Amino acid sequence: CPVDPSRNRAADGISFHSHIITPREVTSGFKGGSLSPRNIIQLNARNTVQDHRLDGDRMLLYRNRIRAHDITHEVQHLNTESGRRKLDCMAAVHRLEAKKNEKEADVTGLKPAARLSRDHQPSKDYSKEEGIANMLSQAITTQHLLYASLGSAEYMEFVLKNPFNVPQTVTIHTDDSELSVITDTEEWRYFKALTKTSTPLEENMFHVEEGAPGPRVYLRPKESVHIPLKYQSFRCNNTIAVQGPSFLPTDKGSQMAKRNLSNIINAKIIKVTFRAEDGKPMAICQVNVEPTPHVVDQTFRLYHPELCFLKKAIRLPPWQDSTAEDPDSWTQNSVRCSDPNIICQTRMLVPGEPQDVYLKVPGSPSPHIKMFFVMVFTDKWMVAPSQIWQVYVHFLERVDISCVTGQRTCQSLVLRGRQAVRKIKCFSSHSKEIEVDPAGVFVLPPAAVQELQLRVQPWQAGSRFLYVNAVDMDQQRLVAAWLLCLNVHRPILSKAFEVSVPVANGRGSSRKMTYTNPYTSTRTFLLRSDHPDLLQFREDKFQISGGESHTIGLRFAPSQSPGLAEILVYVNNLEEKTEETFCVKVNYS
């Protein structure tokens, strides 16, 4: 919908990026009644609503440049009428609930008084002392909303005041390690300069003891200090969303499901408790962390055999610190991983040389896909990552195949059915070198065994990795995956020829060669080449009688630049087994 600029909200003027957390004054108290958890929750909700309403009223007054003592009596009367109207609505709801309780009492045979006494029996897990402690805890709790991103540090300062008339040594305790107190003076000064926070800084303000629940700070009577806090999370939800259309819940829309899946960082509530010398809380700061998406600079997909450790080194470019006084100084990079089970580290061996990020990932069974993030930091205090990598590791079932170039090699794979009937189709990473039988969609019954025939015909010698995936076509999910480790050898050459082709004549060149059938019976042969873009045959298939010869026509494509090319010509039978191999060296001059 188009945005109406004339309609502004009261919260538009509130700065959500303020780094100073000031405890709010209590705007409402306890007016008597039951201390049940339900009443306490309603009281907290009423205090929160009233607090937000006062914030909105103050913001509107600020926008209109009206002071608090300039409010007319009619406006205050209007707010009173609104409150009365809400109380009347609540009274009506209570009367409706009372009528329902009377009907239920008539059905169960209990009198209303007996039912009322039964419903208001004290709970075993709740006491009056706990209710009072909960209310007092809520009264000294200050909430702060924080929008956090993966790997980025969020800085904030909590204004802590000693309400007593005697000095206090306050212990700071957080229930989550991702929210910590900045005790290093240099780091504190760096964050204050980064966020442009003009608050006092005191060196050596905190006293840290080994084994203590947290740092300690000394406060004089009625003294207020700023406690620097830092939230930084390197962990996130590393699970991969289920593929296919069946992951959407039936009772929610697609937009809601996509929004929930995009929250890689889980929302959480962290409490920072400031305890006095007697161990009782003096103040509580509740930080509500809301996730925000982050930018992915690089994406890596790695394929590895199942149940084996993956060891990988990724090279970093040399980063030069632009803020350093020495132009020859280089930055010491740091890395963090979102998965604590993965070893991720880097080190600079020689200054000025590129650094390598070393990864060691534990293996998983096929066809599991492991996803994680790697954060690269170039600053000393790791405030924000300069790059974020998203790494996918596909664990596949390994199949070793030894073959010869130009010749077809067959390999069998076994696909086992699961609980339900599936429609499966196989896909290969190199369709010109791998053929899968069956090639189309086939039905895989439950607990059945399906044999897959692979026909591999590579054209380049050396060690290579190819992939074959079996996909459920209805659910669009990966059922099985294989990693084909090819060890390809060069064939034995029967003859070698040298051909000169003129450059830039636009017509190419034609040659002829003779092949003799070594068998006594009539055979059919196929002609193959490892460079079909440079060499074409007059006929790809020919048949000759036993002991007779056949002339093979060769057509070389023209070239625009001089050079030397080596082309292999394979004479195969109908089963794609190589009978003879010829090497043709083409000199473009």
Side-chain angles (χ1 to χ4, degrees):
C1 299
V3 179
D4 187 3
S6 61
R7 298 186 62 182
N8 297 326
R9 299 176 301 172
D12 291 342
I14 301 176
S15 177
F16 292 99
H17 300 282
S18 177
H19 302 283
I20 308 299
I21 305 175
T22 304
R24 294 180 179 269
E25 297 181 359
V26 179
T27 58
S28 177
F30 181 63
K31 301 179 181 180
S34 175
L35 287 175
S36 63
R38 180 180 179 183
N39 289 343
I40 293 176
I41 293 174
Q42 291 178 355
L43 175 63
N44 296 335
R46 184 165 66 252
N47 291 340
T48 304
V49 171
Q50 184 176 357
D51 220 5
H52 290 176
R53 184 171 66 250
L54 290 176
D55 286 342
D57 296 340
R58 291 169 186 166
M59 188 54 58
L60 289 175
L61 292 176
Y62 176 76
R63 285 187 173 184
N64 298 327
R65 300 187 181 277
I66 301 177
R67 294 180 229 176
H69 58 77
D70 293 335
I71 303 177
T72 61
H73 184 71
E74 288 77 4
V75 175
Q76 296 178 356
H77 182 67
L78 181 62
N79 292 335
T80 306
E81 292 296 332
S82 177
R84 290 178 180 176
R85 185 168 57 253
K86 293 180 181 179
L87 292 176
D88 294 339
C89 293
M90 185 155 310
V93 173
H94 286 317
R95 286 195 297 269
L96 182 61
E97 291 180 353
K99 291 181 181 179
K100 291 183 179 179
N101 292 335
E102 291 179 358
K103 293 181 180 179
E104 292 178 359
D106 295 338
V107 174
T108 57
L110 294 176
K111 295 182 179 181
R115 182 176 179 84
L116 185 63
S117 62
R118 188 194 66 175
D119 293 340
H120 287 78
Q121 289 179 356
S123 175
K124 296 181 180 180
D125 299 333
Y126 183 78
S127 62
K128 185 176 181 179
E129 290 78 5
E130 292 178 357
I132 296 175
N134 189 15
M135 290 188 60
L136 294 176
S137 175
Q138 293 293 332
I140 62 174
T141 299
T142 302
Q143 297 191 11
H144 178 69
L145 182 59
L146 182 66
Y147 295 97
S149 180
L150 179 65
S152 298
E154 299 295 335
Y155 174 75
M156 66 203 88
E157 290 185 2
F158 181 80
V159 181
L160 177 63
K161 181 180 180 181
N162 181 12
F164 304 105
N165 295 324
V166 294
Q168 291 287 335
T169 300
V170 182
T171 304
I172 307 172
H173 173 71
T174 62
D175 57 359
D176 197 317
S177 59
E178 294 179 347
L179 182 61
S180 59
V181 181
I182 301 177
T183 57
D184 189 276
T185 307
E186 185 179 355
E187 183 181 2
W188 189 5
R189 184 179 293 107
Y190 179 82
F191 274 99
K192 290 177 69 66
L194 184 66
T195 58
K196 299 180 180 179
T197 305
S198 58
T199 54
L201 184 145
E202 182 179 349
E203 296 185 359
N204 302 324
M205 187 175 68
F206 299 98
H207 180 64
V208 181
E209 293 182 357
E210 186 176 357
R216 297 177 180 177
V217 59
Y218 177 80
L219 294 180
R220 291 186 293 269
K222 304 298 181 179
E223 181 186 8
S224 298
V225 294
H226 290 255
I227 305 298
L229 302 174
K230 180 182 71 171
Y231 175 82
Q232 190 171 23
S233 176
F234 301 112
R235 298 186 181 183
C236 64
N237 184 13
N238 295 316
T239 58
I240 300 179
V242 182
Q243 300 175 356
S246 62
F247 77 94
L248 292 177
T250 56
D251 57 341
K252 294 182 180 181
S254 60
Q255 297 296 330
M256 177 65 69
K258 291 179 180 179
R259 187 185 68 178
N260 293 337
L261 290 176
S262 64
N263 290 340
I264 297 180
I265 303 177
N266 297 326
K268 61 173 64 176
I269 297 176
I270 305 175
K271 286 188 177 181
V272 184
T273 307
F274 303 88
R275 298 186 181 274
E277 295 179 356
D278 55 358
K280 296 182 180 179
M282 179 186 300
I284 298 175
C285 178
Q286 179 176 321
V287 181
N288 303 321
V289 181
E290 288 292 337
T292 56
H294 58 274
V295 177
V296 176
D297 300 283
Q298 297 284 341
T299 301
F300 298 92
R301 289 192 178 271
L302 308 177
Y303 298 87
H304 197 67
E306 61 177 348
L307 303 177
C308 295
F309 277 95
L310 169 65
K311 298 180 181 179
K312 192 71 175 179
I314 302 176
R315 175 148 295 184
L316 293 173
W319 270 297
Q320 188 173 3
D321 191 2
S322 58
T323 60
E325 298 179 357
D326 187 6
D328 297 332
S329 63
W330 298 91
T331 304
Q332 176 68 35
N333 300 323
S334 304
V335 292
R336 291 293 185 272
C337 184
S338 62
D339 193 342
N341 299 321
I342 297 176
I343 299 176
C344 179
Q345 60 182 358
T346 181
R347 57 182 178 270
M348 179 181 292
L349 301 179
V350 179
E353 293 294 328
Q355 291 183 242
D356 291 335
V357 177
Y358 299 97
L359 299 175
K360 187 176 182 181
V361 185
S364 299
S366 175
H368 180 69
I369 302 176
K370 182 171 292 187
M371 186 271 293
F372 56 92
F373 295 93
V374 175
M375 291 146 279
V376 182
F377 297 89
T378 56
D379 56 324
K380 178 182 178 181
W381 301 109
M382 297 192 302
V383 177
S386 59
Q387 285 194 6
I388 297 181
W389 301 342
Q390 187 174 19
V391 183
Y392 292 89
V393 181
H394 299 253
F395 292 98
L396 314 176
E397 182 180 350
R398 177 168 180 166
V399 179
D400 295 319
I401 301 177
S402 180
C403 50
V404 182
T405 58
Q407 181 171 292
R408 177 179 295 175
T409 302
C410 297
Q411 178 71 33
S412 298
L413 301 178
V414 177
L415 180 62
R416 301 183 184 276
R418 299 183 181 179
Q419 292 83 2
V421 179
R422 297 175 180 268
K423 293 182 179 180
I424 306 296
K425 186 176 181 180
C426 296
F427 300 88
S428 63
S429 59
H430 297 73
S431 57
K432 295 183 179 179
E433 300 183 8
I434 303 178
E435 295 181 4
V436 184
D437 186 22
V441 180
F442 61 92
V443 178
L444 182 63
V449 177
Q450 175 70 37
E451 183 180 4
L452 304 177
Q453 291 290 336
L454 299 183
R455 291 186 286 268
V456 184
Q457 192 172 7
W459 302 103
Q460 301 294 331
S463 298
R464 302 181 57 195
F465 295 96
L466 285 73
Y467 318 103
V468 175
N469 299 324
V471 180
D472 188 342
M473 300 304 294
D474 292 336
Q475 302 296 329
Q476 296 294 318
R477 296 182 182 177
L478 187 64
V479 178
W482 293 273
L483 175 63
L484 307 182
C485 302
L486 302 185
N487 188 12
V488 186
H489 305 278
R490 287 179 59 90
I492 300 177
L493 300 180
S494 303
K495 296 180 181 179
F497 304 92
E498 290 186 2
V499 178
S500 297
V501 178
V503 178
N505 60 352
R507 296 179 300 175
S509 180
S510 298
R511 295 290 188 274
K512 294 181 180 180
M513 58 184 301
T514 303
Y515 176 73
T516 302
N517 184 7
Y519 301 98
T520 57
S521 58
T522 303
R523 297 294 180 94
T524 302
F525 298 97
L526 305 176
L527 295 178
R528 300 286 184 259
S529 171
D530 61 345
H531 288 82
D533 55 334
L534 300 180
L535 175 62
Q536 296 180 354
F537 302 102
R538 185 178 58 186
E539 51 184 358
D540 296 335
K541 182 179 180 181
F542 62 92
Q543 180 178 358
I544 54 177
S545 302
E548 295 186 358
S549 299
H550 178 77
T551 302
I552 301 174
L554 307 178
R555 178 67 180 178
F556 296 94
S559 177
Q560 300 297 328
S561 59
L564 184 64
E566 184 177 292
I567 304 174
L568 296 182
V569 178
Y570 301 93
V571 181
N572 297 346
N573 55 22
L574 295 178
E575 298 179 355
E576 291 291 354
K577 299 295 182 181
T578 302
E579 299 290 345
E580 287 193 44
T581 305
F582 305 110
C583 179
V584 181
K585 295 183 179 180
V586 184
N587 185 14
Y588 294 95
S589 58

